[in-house]
Amino acid sequence: MKCPFCGHTDTQVIDSRVSEPGASIRRRRRCVSCTKRFTTYETVELRLPQVVKTNGTRSDFDVMRVRNGFQRALHKRPVPTEFVDQAVDRIVARVLALGEREIPSREVGEMVMQELYLLDKVAYIRYASIYRQFEEPDELLREIKKLEKPHDTLTIRLPGV
Ligand SMILES: [Zn+2]
């Protein structure tokens, strides 16, 4: 942070505090060279990226769409809503942490799959069979075999079969 008085590039932070939760951070600074004091306000830009589909179309990152994906996959599965909320929150946090302006839709899908894998194996397979772009049906079978012990009977419709 450059000193606004003498242009010196080295300033000390004397004090920092958050003015409003998550809104901005107020920092009291002192110039190392001229010792004058000034205040800066820092805001973090938290903007969700655009989601880019494989066909190149872009749309706003839609948290509700992610949540709906979970709900469809978890239909009639014994998973508490609280766990779903936490999984959705983790995905949003991960997407924000990327700091990118665009994210491929496939990447979002992979994050959902990772969370579903931990939440419920049946829901994971459901989601995978619907949303993942399987090159060949064998790929889905390999996914199923990766799961050690599916505890319920699975009804799977192979894409394109
Ligand atoms: Zn200065």
Side-chain angles (χ1 to χ4, degrees), residues 3-8 10-11 30-36 38:
C3 170
F5 303 105
C6 72
H8 193 76
D10 196 9
T11 52
R30 180 174 50 215
C31 174
V32 179
S33 176
C34 71
T35 70
K36 286 199 172 94
F38 59 100

Side-chain angles (χ1 to χ4, degrees), residues 60-118:
D60 290 337
F61 185 96
D62 188 346
V63 180
M64 274 316 290
R65 190 180 291 175
V66 174
R67 187 178 297 276
N68 288 342
F70 272 94
Q71 275 162 359
R72 266 199 302 273
L74 287 161
H75 184 63
K76 291 189 176 174
R77 296 297 304 158
V79 176
T81 311
E82 191 194 338
F83 290 0
V84 178
D85 289 346
Q86 288 167 3
V88 172
D89 286 350
R90 273 195 297 273
I91 289 173
V92 171
R94 279 176 71 184
V95 167
L96 285 172
L98 291 172
E100 302 286 348
R101 298 180 72 187
E102 292 185 347
I103 183 174
S105 60
R106 193 189 167 93
E107 229 172 280
V108 180
E110 294 290 331
M111 289 183 191
V112 173
M113 295 213 346
Q114 284 168 18
E115 291 290 346
L116 282 174
Y117 185 85
L118 300 171

Side-chain angles (χ1 to χ4, degrees), residues 11-73:
T11 52
Q12 267 181 337
V13 175
I14 309 161
D15 181 41
S16 24
R17 61 186 62 169
V18 177
S19 53
E20 254 173 71
S24 63
I25 300 165
R26 178 186 178 276
R27 288 196 210 281
R28 195 75 187 126
R29 293 174 184 269
R30 180 174 50 215
C31 174
V32 179
S33 176
C34 71
T35 70
K36 286 199 172 94
R37 293 173 183 216
F38 59 100
T39 306
T40 57
Y41 292 91
E42 289 170 28
T43 51
V44 181
E45 190 184 33
L46 289 178
R47 191 186 289 169
L48 284 161
Q50 292 274 296
V51 177
V52 187
K53 286 188 190 163
T54 38
N55 65 10
T57 56
R58 285 154 172 78
S59 56
D60 290 337
F61 185 96
D62 188 346
V63 180
M64 274 316 290
R65 190 180 291 175
V66 174
R67 187 178 297 276
N68 288 342
F70 272 94
Q71 275 162 359
R72 266 199 302 273

Side-chain angles (χ1 to χ4, degrees), residues 109-146:
E110 294 290 331
M111 289 183 191
V112 173
M113 295 213 346
Q114 284 168 18
E115 291 290 346
L116 282 174
Y117 185 85
L118 300 171
L119 282 176
D120 187 271
K121 300 292 189 277
V122 172
Y124 167 77
I125 288 296
R126 275 185 194 157
Y127 190 90
S129 63
I130 298 165
Y131 293 95
R132 204 176 213 185
Q133 303 277 314
F134 286 98
E135 304 289 309
E136 40 176 334
D138 285 355
E139 209 176 317
L140 179 56
L141 292 175
R142 277 199 297 274
E143 285 290 330
I144 295 164
K145 279 174 189 160
K146 275 200 290 189

